[in-house]
Amino acid sequence: MIIAERKPLEEIFSMVKSFKKVLILGCRGCVAVCNAGGEKEVATLAEALKLAAKKAGQEMEVLQETFVRQCDPEYLEPLAEMAKDFEAILSMACGVGVNLIADRYPDTLVFPALNTTFYGANLEAGSWEEKCRGCGDCILHLTAGLCPIARCAKNLLNGPCGGSQGGKCEIRPDVPCVWHEIYERLKRLNRLENMKQIMPAKDWTPAGHGGLRRRKREDLLAR
C-alpha cells in the first residue's frame, strides 16, 4: 500500500491562495486506507482552507469530491467537465494521481496536498511501516521474505554491517537489524544455505535509474 501524509496547511494554502474557486479531490484508494486522502480528510482540509482564507481576508470557494481512484484514467473522466468550473485542483491522492491528472488535463492546474512517503504495511491503527522500495529486482526468495533494500539503513545485500549490535541497527536502538532477522528466519526455515550465496552488485536500472518505468502486458492490451 502507498503511504502518504498531508502537507502542512500553510504549504497547501500558499499553493492556492491566489485562487477564488478550488476543488479538493480525494481518493478512496491507498490514501484513504492510511487516513490521508479519503472523504473525511477532504472535508477536514476544506474547512481548514476556508478558515485560512477568511483569516487572510480572502474570498475562496472550496468544493469537495472524492473519486474511487485517481491512478486509473476511467475514474478521472468526470474531470473533463468538472475542471472547467475551477481555477485549481488540490489532489489528495498520491503523486501518481497528481501526475495522471496533469497528463490528461494539460490546461488544469493541479497541486499536491499530500507527501507520498513509501510502500508500507498497516501494523495497527495509525501505524505504518515501510516494507518495499519498489526496486524492480526482487530478491525476497533469497532473504526469507524480508527486504534489505527497504529495511536496511545501508541497503546492504550481503549480511549486516559492523554497526549492528545485539540484533539492532546502529541508527536507533529501537530499529531491528533486518539481516539479523533474515538470518534467524532462514535458520528457523532450514534455509541457511541462502546466506552463503554472494549477491552481485545490484542493477538499479529497474528502480527507475534508467528513466521513466513502464510495464505492458501484451495479453491484456486492447486489440
Side-chain angles (χ1 to χ4, degrees):
M1 180 174 72
I2 296 175
I3 310 301
E5 59 184 0
R6 203 189 82 181
K7 287 178 174 292
L9 179 62
E10 295 77 11
E11 182 180 353
I12 296 173
F13 184 62
S14 70
M15 299 177 194
V16 299
K17 63 182 180 181
S18 61
F19 305 113
K20 292 186 177 181
K21 196 169 184 180
V22 176
L23 171 66
I24 301 179
L25 187 61
C27 178
R28 297 192 183 98
C30 297
V31 294
V33 178
C34 69
N35 301 101
E39 292 183 9
K40 178 181 176 182
E41 291 75 34
V42 167
T44 299
L45 178 57
E47 292 305 313
L49 271 183
K50 290 175 185 177
L51 288 173
K54 184 176 181 180
K55 185 176 180 180
Q58 299 176 211
E59 292 184 15
M60 182 182 292
E61 184 179 358
V62 181
L63 290 92
Q64 310 168 40
E65 185 62 71
T66 302
F67 289 170
V68 174
R69 286 194 296 276
Q70 291 188 35
C71 57
D72 287 324
E74 57 266 34
Y75 294 117
L76 293 181
E77 289 182 1
L79 277 181
E81 291 299 321
M82 291 175 60
K84 299 175 183 178
D85 296 328
F86 303 97
E87 296 177 86
I89 293 175
L90 263 175
S91 170
M92 295 196 77
C94 69
V96 176
V98 178
N99 273 268
L100 190 55
I101 292 172
D103 283 339
R104 293 183 63 82
Y105 303 103
D107 298 324
T108 299
L109 283 170
V110 54
F111 300 100
L114 305 183
N115 289 322
T116 306
T117 51
F118 55 82
Y119 306 150
N122 190 185
L123 303 183
E124 58 181 321
S127 176
W128 298 272
E129 183 173 277
E130 184 174 18
K131 299 294 186 185
C132 175
R133 192 66 56 85
C135 71
D137 183 21
C138 192
I139 58 169
L140 296 181
H141 58 296
L142 298 175
T143 58
L146 306 178
C147 180
I149 303 301
R151 300 171 67 172
C152 171
K154 300 177 181 178
N155 310 136
L156 296 180
L157 291 177
N158 287 291
C161 69
S164 173
Q165 299 291 328
K168 300 295 183 181
C169 178
E170 64 181 330
I171 62 169
R172 283 201 318 266
D174 62 325
V175 176
C177 169
V178 71
W179 274 105
H180 177 83
E181 293 185 322
I182 289 170
Y183 174 86
E184 292 296 334
R185 184 164 165 77
L186 287 172
K187 182 179 179 181
R188 187 163 56 250
L189 296 171
N190 295 315
R191 305 276 294 183
L192 275 177
E193 66 273 11
N194 285 11
M195 294 291 290
K196 297 178 182 179
Q197 297 190 42
I198 303 300
M199 296 190 197
K202 189 171 180 62
D203 177 11
W204 288 101
T205 304
H209 291 66
L212 178 68
R213 287 188 282 184
R214 285 179 175 165
R215 179 174 178 260
K216 290 186 178 181
R217 286 257 316 258
E218 295 297 331
D219 58 318
L220 298 177
L221 293 175
R223 300 296 180 182

